[in-house]
Amino acid sequence: MAESHRKALNGTNRETIRTGLSEESIRAAFLDNLFYLQGRFPEVATLNDQYKALAYTVRDRLLHRWVATTRAYQKANPRTVCYLSAEYLPGPFLGNNLLNLGIEEPTRRALAGLGIELDALLEHEEEPGLGNGGLGRLAACFMDSLATLQVPAIGYGIRYEFGIFDQVIRDGGQVETTDNWLRFGNPWEVRRPAIAYDVRIGGYTEQTTDAQGRFGVRWVPNEVFNGIAVDTAILGHGVNTVNLLRLWTAEAAEGFDFHAFNRGDYYGAVVREVRSETISKVLYPNDEPEIGKRLRLLQQYFFVTCSLQDMIRIHRTTGQPLDKFHEKFSVQLNDTHPAIAVAELMRLLVDEHQMGWDAAWEVTRHTFAYTNHTLLPEALEKWPIPLFQNVLPRHLEIIYEINARFLDEVRLRHPFDTARVQRMSIIDEAPPRFVRMAHLACVGSFAINGVAELHSRLLKETVLRDFFELWPEKFQNKTNGVTPRRFVMLSNPGLSRLLTRTLGAGWARDPSQLRVLERHADDAAFQQEWREVKRSRKEALAARILDRCNVSIDPDSLFDVQAKRIHEYKRQHLNVLHIVTLYNRIKFNPGLDITPRTFIFGGKAAPGYAMAKLMIRLINAVADVVNRDPDVAGRLRVVFLPNFSVKLGHGLYPAADLSEQLSTAGKEASGTGNMKFSMNGALTIGTLDGANVEIREEVGADNFFLFGLTAEEVVRTLAEGYRPWDIYNANLELKGVIDLIASGHFSHGDRTVFQPLVDHLVWHDNYLLLADYAGYIACQEQAGLTYRDSRQWTRMSILNVARMGKFSSDRTIAEYCRDIWRAEPMAVDV
Ligand code: Z2T
């Protein structure tokens, strides 16, 4: 960043130890923080001391802008977006904050002057794994874009003490270990003990009468604890806006159980304390809901009530009455995890702030908007009524009341249609009866959106069809995006430099400018530079893989990468079928001339998802045999990169040649990894699913390897009585592949290990791998051939990057602001 810009950011030419952005200021501040915060001097400082001293140095510079932003917001009282999400996957902060402040270079020099390498400190940072995958990472990209677009926003969530488990591969299978990310402290967070709210749980309700003789309801809980705010600054790129990521941590309510102490029940009080702290202890590691897990419901309610109480507090400081709450805040529900907010806001307004029901409902239904992230029926959240009543008795009453009024509306519109009333009810009447959270979210929201065109259409046609028929005006699409700051500038500095040199620096904030690259797509010199960038990222990844997995891979081979949660619908095993196909072809024809490939996998399986864990076992088993077999050496390599994370993604996306996006059409809501790969010049091999459809539209059909059934064909194939067994018998090559896996070839002769997977494929195959197999193999062959034509491949790669501008999360957020939140940018000066 230019010096002038840096001065503008700083607001002054005066450099202080807390704000200065020059090399000298940063070095002085670093030493100061090392001494006064760590009690260390350079000669004895550990890597962690150095990391923290630098992190605090950067945080000081954020705080400065943070305070300026808070002041500006207080003065102007702007409309504010509140993003409610049970998950955030922000990735490491240090590099991103340096980038957004524009001080990476002076910082690098400041440290070099002390004999310290910035890259070693960046590498040392432990990332907050407070999410499972796409949904949590999307929330983090949105926070980045909101700040960069200078839109006032707060991200609310849970400060899990233990995030997503660490994955180790032991004897070829996944083993989970706890993610102790706070072990060495977290320099980015600021604890706000003064911002604390009561959270009540359980008990019963009773009717009350006030002095004027009005009826009310009192909720008498049997437990109360506190949520404390822990804040992290989210700085925009090249602006002064710092928005808040406010995560709640649970603590025992002060004074609540004095009672127990007085009776001498010290143990009981301590146990209660332990129990309350359990609420924010650990993230549920499933991308599907845990039906009936009491603690999960507690977590959801915990962060929702704290967040809404916080918004009400902020609203009251503006002096405005509560019936204007929805004019101050727009609250986005990131899936149904925070959907209890609909009932909780009603409770707060009606029970705690004495608003009438109708007025409260007006506020509530103008406050919330709901994003759906999945069509998989098993992933729709519902809570058994006995559990729900036990935890949230008052909310159940409120939901019944909301539901009664809602169903009256349905009956008015559709007289005699009792089936429809049953389908739409917030309550699923099948014993033991359930609260359907998606229905609560739909009824309580003014806008409902899917996350890609296809997904939004299918939502209206399938799972939310009745709601669409009732309220078509509520339904929208907001195709996902990812931040080009983290996923191009930070992850791929070489590519960024080439882009900036060719196009100017504007592309990162306005990626439509990338289109200019099209002019260079056939330019031999430019192509050469392009290949050198990719080559250097492949070498770096190869070094990492040698170090971590002790497998040597060839940077000249085609890097074929699939990184995402392990799931049957994502079909990592289809990728494996391709690998074994090539393996067999070489075994039968040792002289076969094929494009050398390195297959790289990354991703975690939910600990309780046996088939996903078996898929990991299969990948590692195939890797073991293939990498050891001299017959295929130099042509095939397979690597499973353990413990995939945002940080590992930084090294993976830029190194990929081919991006595997294989989900059964209609199953992947959007995908966002697909975007990260393509923005870094990987070509996609994929189905017409999720955002793949739009990526292909943008980059052009010629620059995308398409295969597989469409969503409509998938539905039809299954309806017509799909028989995978017939496909298995009809395709000799496929049969050979499956038989080899079944024979124990990859499991030391043990035929039982992969039997569940094989049986499932040939007898059920709900995700239609066998139906898509032949098309996939042919498409892969095409990709392999194209890779050999390096000019053609490079041209396609350039065109991919040139045409991916649509998938910046800035575009997504601008659309949310315009169509849902009615929020506007507000510049901040320091
Ligand atoms: C998740 O990551 C996603 C959907 C979920 O549905 C849950 C989780 Cl944890 C309840 C993913 C989708 O699978 C993916 O297609 C999408 O790109 C991502 O959310 C963000 O929208």
Side-chain angles (χ1 to χ4, degrees), residues 1 6 9 19-23 26 54 57-58 61 65 94 97-110 118:
M1 187 179 300
R6 203 173 296 135
L9 269 180
T19 62
L21 301 177
S22 71
E23 177 187 335
I26 292 168
L54 182 62
T57 301
V58 173
R61 277 130 191 93
R65 288 159 181 77
L94 178 57
N97 285 331
L98 289 172
L99 172 72
N100 284 1
L101 280 166
I103 58 168
E104 197 184 323
E105 282 322 307
T107 302
R108 192 176 289 281
R109 292 195 302 271
L118 174 59

Side-chain angles (χ1 to χ4, degrees), residues 7 18 33 213 230 397 400 449 459 467 495 511 513 530 583 624 695 749 764 783 785 809:
K7 280 181 185 148
R18 299 287 198 199
N33 281 330
V230 181
E397 293 174 355
Y400 284 152
N449 76 282
L459 264 185
F467 289 91
L495 179 63
Q513 295 179 19
W530 193 266
Y583 176 80
D624 238 33
I695 292 175
H764 307 286
L785 285 174
S809 46

Side-chain angles (χ1 to χ4, degrees), residues 87 132-135 138 287 335 337 373-374 451 480 569-570 668-672:
E87 304 191 6
N132 275 286
L135 171 144
L138 186 76
D287 28 19
D335 214 88
H337 315 146
H373 292 268
T374 184
V451 290
N480 283 168
Y569 85 77
K570 295 177 189 281
E668 188 70 271
S670 163
T672 45

Side-chain angles (χ1 to χ4, degrees), residues 459-477:
L459 264 185
K460 294 191 281 189
E461 291 173 3
T462 63
V463 285
L464 299 182
R465 178 176 176 160
D466 292 326
F467 289 91
F468 175 63
E469 286 172 6
L470 185 60
W471 297 310
E473 69 285 354
K474 282 195 189 184
F475 283 73
Q476 301 194 25
N477 171 249

Side-chain angles (χ1 to χ4, degrees), residues 118 185 276 303 576 592 602 622 694-695 711 766 797:
L118 174 59
S276 58
F303 97 90
V576 174
L592 187 71
V622 169
E694 290 158 77
I695 292 175
N766 323 54
S797 167

